[in-house]
Amino acid sequence: MRKEKISSAVIRRLPRYYRHLDDLYRTGMVRISSSALAKSMGLTASQIRQDLSCFGGFGQQGYGYNVKRLRSEVAEILGMNRDHTVLILGAGNLGRALIENFPFSANGFRLVAAFDVNPSLVGTRLGGVPIHHMDTLEEFLRDGPASVGVLTVPTRVAVESARRLFDGGVTGIWNFTNVELPEQEMPGVRVENVHFADSLLTLSYMISEETV
Amino acid sequence: MRKEKISSAVIRRLPRYYRHLDDLYRTGMVRISSSALAKSMGLTASQIRQDLSCFGGFGQQGYGYNVKRLRSEVAEILGMNRDHTVLILGAGNLGRALIENFPFSANGFRLVAAFDVNPSLVGTRLGGVPIHHMDTLEEFLRDGPASVGVLTVPTRVAVESARRLFDGGVTGIWNFTNVELPEQEMPGVRVENVHFADSLLTLSYMISEETV
């Protein structure tokens, strides 16, 4: 799959495409028109044709998309077949929620370990995943590098934890702390933020606007 | 504050403005130039001036912004002073993480109750918040409507739970289930999604692109 320079807006939509195509695939649908796919996703058919054409254009005019093939192609573009490995730093409530409930493997990631400083957690397993002491992170990463580190640590240790992941060679950080990480000091590491507060404040704006 | 029609990209940036201004305010900074604010946020000064001018333009050329005032104005625009109330549906791992760790009040929301079906949770309190049985949601909303319902329920009951919130008169749904809600069937309700999978797949794309 050759990739052109793709806008970040298109990239942001790709996971949604995957999610919809995966749903359709699981219901047994074989083929879908761009207009039907558009309707189910709340987009226009021309937007869908344009988005997908960025990646080489799998659609045939008047014939629609092969659901299974398009799903696989989008998965490939998203890097879901790379055997990415994940570590979770911080096995508090949120870390535990991700460990026990988030389908990492269905998204192409293998969760190999979690790290915490809580003595009642270290040495145990959650959902089959071993919890190691944070002090052993460097040693763990020396033995086998990981693709992604998930930051679900307390705010005050967020930056320090990110640096340790960077030093240990991870290529991505999934950041759930409400802290902006010093990305310019971690060249080669991609950071994806999940800012709960920003999301709730966006909702706050929307519902307040209604009632002005 | 009179509001023009504001693009969703600007709205998405507003919570970040608030976060940065709040940090600056807490460090005691009184005044900041658009270029310094831009640098700390990774934006350009002209983008900041343009964004803030959408809301009436508080900056003075060559003089910068009053941090405290701008922070208050952004908070006002975001609806942080409306005494919004929140209910959480689903007190599993993720619900508990939000109840115990998310600073609702610092974001202008008052968390009044959580709902679950787990008999070992119903009737207890988490972080001071009462957990009621899901069956009593309608009764609770009849007694006092809530602004926002947070959906941290299992996927299979996501849509049904959203409809119950809609029927009960909430104006916003903060949706953590990986399910797209039927927004067109819930007129007047604004939905803000936190799609963990979409976020992780975006990161997957970014780190895979690096290594193509």
Side-chain angles (χ1 to χ4, degrees):
Chain A
M1 171 86 12
R2 297 304 118 234
K3 286 187 255 172
E4 313 289 314
K5 176 79 183 145
I6 296 156
S7 80
S8 67
V10 176
I11 294 163
R12 287 277 152 196
R13 279 197 289 275
L14 273 182
R16 270 193 81 209
Y17 280 114
Y18 179 78
R19 196 147 38 81
H20 276 262
L21 290 163
D22 190 51
D23 286 347
L24 295 171
Y25 175 68
R26 284 169 198 285
T27 64
M29 186 173 283
V30 172
R31 196 164 279 285
I32 189 166
S33 66
S34 48
S35 57
L37 183 58
K39 195 170 173 218
S40 85
M41 292 186 62
L43 298 169
T44 67
S46 82
Q47 190 168 29
I48 283 190
R49 284 192 295 264
Q50 199 178 329
D51 283 355
L52 297 179
S53 73
C54 292
F55 302 100
F58 334 90
Q60 286 174 262
Q61 194 76 43
Y63 193 62
Y65 296 103
N66 177 306
V67 171
K68 182 179 176 183
R69 178 161 164 245
L70 185 55
R71 172 181 169 279
S72 299
E73 296 276 10
V74 174
E76 176 68 29
I77 294 164
L78 286 170
M80 293 174 70
N81 312 313
R82 304 292 185 98
D83 194 30
H84 292 309
T85 50
V86 186
L87 306 179
I88 292 187
L89 305 198
N93 284 326
L94 181 58
R96 188 173 316 161
L98 292 171
I99 292 169
E100 295 188 339
N101 306 130
F102 185 78
F104 283 99
S105 64
N107 289 287
F109 285 78
R110 194 155 45 86
L111 176 56
V112 291
F115 293 82
D116 205 291
V117 294
N118 183 339
S120 70
L121 290 175
V122 172
T124 67
R125 283 176 176 263
L126 277 176
V129 176
I131 318 280
H132 303 303
H133 196 283
M134 272 294 284
D135 289 349
T136 65
L137 176 64
E138 281 73 14
E139 186 187 332
F140 189 91
L141 284 167
R142 262 197 307 274
D143 288 348
S147 318
V148 165
V150 184
L151 278 192
T152 47
V153 293
T155 302
R156 68 183 182 284
V157 293
V159 171
E160 169 203 323
S161 304
R163 282 190 215 279
R164 291 174 65 183
L165 288 169
F166 166 68
D167 290 337
V170 309
T171 53
I173 294 179
W174 200 19
N175 177 29
F176 286 80
T177 72
N178 209 28
V179 170
E180 302 214 10
L181 302 176
E183 296 188 45
Q184 66 290 351
E185 296 168 25
M186 303 186 293
V189 173
R190 309 303 294 260
V191 175
E192 168 71 12
N193 297 302
V194 181
H195 281 310
F196 288 174
D198 289 15
S199 174
L200 183 62
L201 289 179
T202 303
L203 184 60
S204 175
Y205 174 85
M206 293 191 293
I207 63 176
S208 303
E209 192 191 31
E210 300 285 307
T211 56
V212 160
Chain B
M1 171 87 10
R2 297 305 120 233
K3 286 185 256 171
E4 314 289 314
K5 176 80 184 144
I6 296 156
S7 80
S8 67
V10 176
I11 294 163
R12 287 276 153 197
R13 279 197 288 274
L14 274 181
R16 271 191 80 209
Y17 281 112
Y18 180 79
R19 195 147 37 83
H20 276 262
L21 290 163
D22 190 51
D23 287 347
L24 295 171
Y25 175 69
R26 285 170 197 285
T27 64
M29 187 173 283
V30 173
R31 195 164 278 286
I32 190 167
S33 66
S34 49
S35 57
L37 183 58
K39 194 171 173 216
S40 87
M41 292 185 62
L43 298 170
T44 67
S46 82
Q47 189 167 30
I48 284 190
R49 284 192 295 265
Q50 198 178 330
D51 283 355
L52 297 178
S53 73
C54 292
F55 301 99
F58 333 90
Q60 287 174 262
Q61 194 77 44
Y63 193 63
Y65 298 102
N66 177 306
V67 170
K68 183 179 175 183
R69 179 163 164 244
L70 184 56
R71 171 182 170 278
S72 299
E73 296 276 8
V74 173
E76 176 67 29
I77 295 164
L78 285 170
M80 292 173 71
N81 313 312
R82 305 292 187 96
D83 193 32
H84 292 309
T85 49
V86 186
L87 306 179
I88 291 188
L89 305 197
N93 284 325
L94 181 58
R96 186 173 318 161
L98 292 171
I99 293 169
E100 296 189 338
N101 306 130
F102 185 77
F104 283 99
S105 65
N107 290 286
F109 285 78
R110 195 155 43 86
L111 176 56
V112 291
F115 294 81
D116 204 292
V117 294
N118 184 339
S120 70
L121 290 175
V122 172
T124 68
R125 284 177 175 262
L126 276 176
V129 176
I131 319 280
H132 303 302
H133 196 284
M134 272 294 285
D135 289 350
T136 65
L137 176 65
E138 281 73 12
E139 187 187 332
F140 189 92
L141 284 168
R142 261 197 308 274
D143 288 348
S147 318
V148 164
V150 183
L151 278 192
T152 47
V153 294
T155 302
R156 67 181 183 285
V157 293
V159 171
E160 169 203 324
S161 304
R163 283 189 214 281
R164 291 174 66 183
L165 288 169
F166 165 68
D167 290 338
V170 308
T171 53
I173 294 179
W174 200 19
N175 176 30
F176 286 81
T177 71
N178 208 29
V179 170
E180 302 214 10
L181 301 176
E183 297 187 45
Q184 66 290 351
E185 296 167 27
M186 303 187 294
V189 173
R190 309 303 293 261
V191 176
E192 168 71 12
N193 296 302
V194 181
H195 281 310
F196 288 175
D198 289 15
S199 173
L200 183 61
L201 289 179
T202 303
L203 184 59
S204 175
Y205 173 86
M206 293 191 293
I207 62 175
S208 304
E209 193 190 29
E210 300 285 306
T211 55
V212 160

